Amino acid sequence: MWLERLCFGTSTFAAGRLRPDKDSRPGIATLREAVRQGLRWIHSNPRLGTQWAIREAVADAPVRHLIKAEAALDATPTQRRDAIYAAIDASRRNLGTDQLHAVVWEIDLKHTRHHALLVDENAVGDFYDAGAQMIRDSGVVDSQVAYCHSPAHLCAAKRCEPITGIAAQYNQAEPWPAFYLDGLEGPFFGMSPLRRGELGPSAVSWAAAHPAVTAVVVTMSTLEHLAGVKAALARPPSLESVWETARTWLPPGDRE
């Protein structure tokens, strides 16, 4: 079923409660219809104030919640723990659920002051490892997913025993995760397949074409957008087209 490869992203659709100039009703109706058709993955960030709308749209449907938690790479262990538990506690309260499917643990690039750490694979690995253990120790999250900003970060995450899944930006302009999909043991979530609206609906089917992709995370705000994504996923491209696009990311001498 097409919705099995789709995760509903909710970064902007329900901003109406926070911004009076935004109408949340179309987004809620879109999520409600997606759930009615069988959608089972929903990704949300408790800091964006959208989870109230998810709870309203989903009701008692058996969905799996992935929630975002982030901290600077140079944050102290206490700051990391506070960020993780604040995200978990707020999400459980806002979503009305005792158990979360996964926490997507991300390095906050913007607030990392010591930029040299971002290319230090040991520092990145320690960040993923320690955070994943905190998430696991909470006892209310099923799995720990590392959000990876680069190939080096993905390799560091793969070496961390508590990490059970990977998430990364994955689209036709940023296709590099394709080179790692065959070697991943856990789930992979392709984030921003439309690159924040820069790419057309067919880009969703490209991102979902590889069988190792568990789900692509798409933010949808209207029923028309949902229909477009559904139509695109019904026409998956060949796996070779994925590799053709991915090879364009490599330096010219490495494309053969």
Side-chain angles (χ1 to χ4, degrees):
M1 188 177 185
W2 68 278
L3 278 170
E4 293 177 355
R5 307 294 298 284
L6 183 67
C7 178
F8 201 107
T10 60
S11 60
T12 59
F13 84 86
R17 185 169 286 185
L18 300 179
R19 293 179 54 186
D21 59 318
K22 296 292 184 179
D23 185 358
S24 300
R25 290 173 296 179
I28 293 173
T30 303
L31 177 54
R32 184 176 289 128
E33 175 59 19
V35 169
R36 188 192 69 79
Q37 293 192 37
L39 178 111
R40 291 297 175 261
W41 300 91
I42 301 177
H43 176 269
S44 62
N45 183 348
R47 297 174 64 181
L48 295 181
T50 61
Q51 290 179 330
W52 67 271
I54 298 172
R55 185 173 184 175
E56 181 174 322
V58 168
D60 296 325
V63 298
R64 290 168 284 190
H65 290 289
L66 293 82
I67 64 109
K68 179 179 179 178
E70 62 182 334
L73 183 53
D74 46 16
T76 66
T78 298
Q79 290 171 329
R80 295 177 187 180
R81 183 180 298 106
D82 289 348
I84 287 169
Y85 280 92
I88 291 173
D89 292 344
S91 296
R92 294 174 71 209
R93 180 175 62 254
N94 295 339
L95 297 169
T97 182
D98 292 329
Q99 195 77 14
L100 300 169
H101 178 75
V103 170
V104 181
W105 179 226
E106 180 177 357
I107 296 172
D108 185 342
L109 300 179
K110 182 178 179 180
H111 292 100
T112 296
R113 295 169 298 169
H114 300 96
H115 293 171
L117 291 176
L118 295 172
V119 294
D120 183 337
E121 288 192 36
N122 290 326
V124 171
D126 288 345
F127 176 91
Y128 289 139
D129 188 85
Q133 290 190 55
M134 294 176 192
I135 296 166
R136 185 168 61 182
D137 291 345
S138 72
V140 295
V141 182
D142 297 330
S143 58
Q144 301 76 238
V145 176
Y147 194 117
C148 302
H149 292 284
S150 69
H153 288 192
L154 191 152
C155 291
K158 286 175 62 177
R159 293 193 291 269
C160 297
E161 183 273 332
I163 293 294
T164 56
I166 298 292
Q169 297 278 312
Y170 182 52
N171 53 62
Q172 290 166 306
E174 302 164 285
W176 62 265
F179 295 107
Y180 300 88
L181 292 175
D182 287 337
L184 293 181
E185 296 181 0
F188 174 80
F189 297 94
M191 312 296 286
S192 194
L194 300 179
R195 211 182 189 207
R196 300 173 186 85
E198 294 180 10
L199 303 175
S202 64
V204 176
S205 61
W206 179 91
H210 197 293
V213 175
T214 303
V216 290
V217 183
V218 184
T219 298
M220 293 172 284
S221 57
T222 67
L223 292 172
E224 290 75 17
H225 192 184
L226 176 63
V229 169
K230 178 179 179 179
L233 287 174
R235 299 187 299 271
S238 68
L239 191 55
E240 179 55 31
S241 72
V242 173
W243 295 120
E244 289 176 0
T245 301
R247 282 192 288 268
T248 65
W249 179 82
L250 296 171
D254 296 334
R255 292 180 183 178
E256 297 301 325

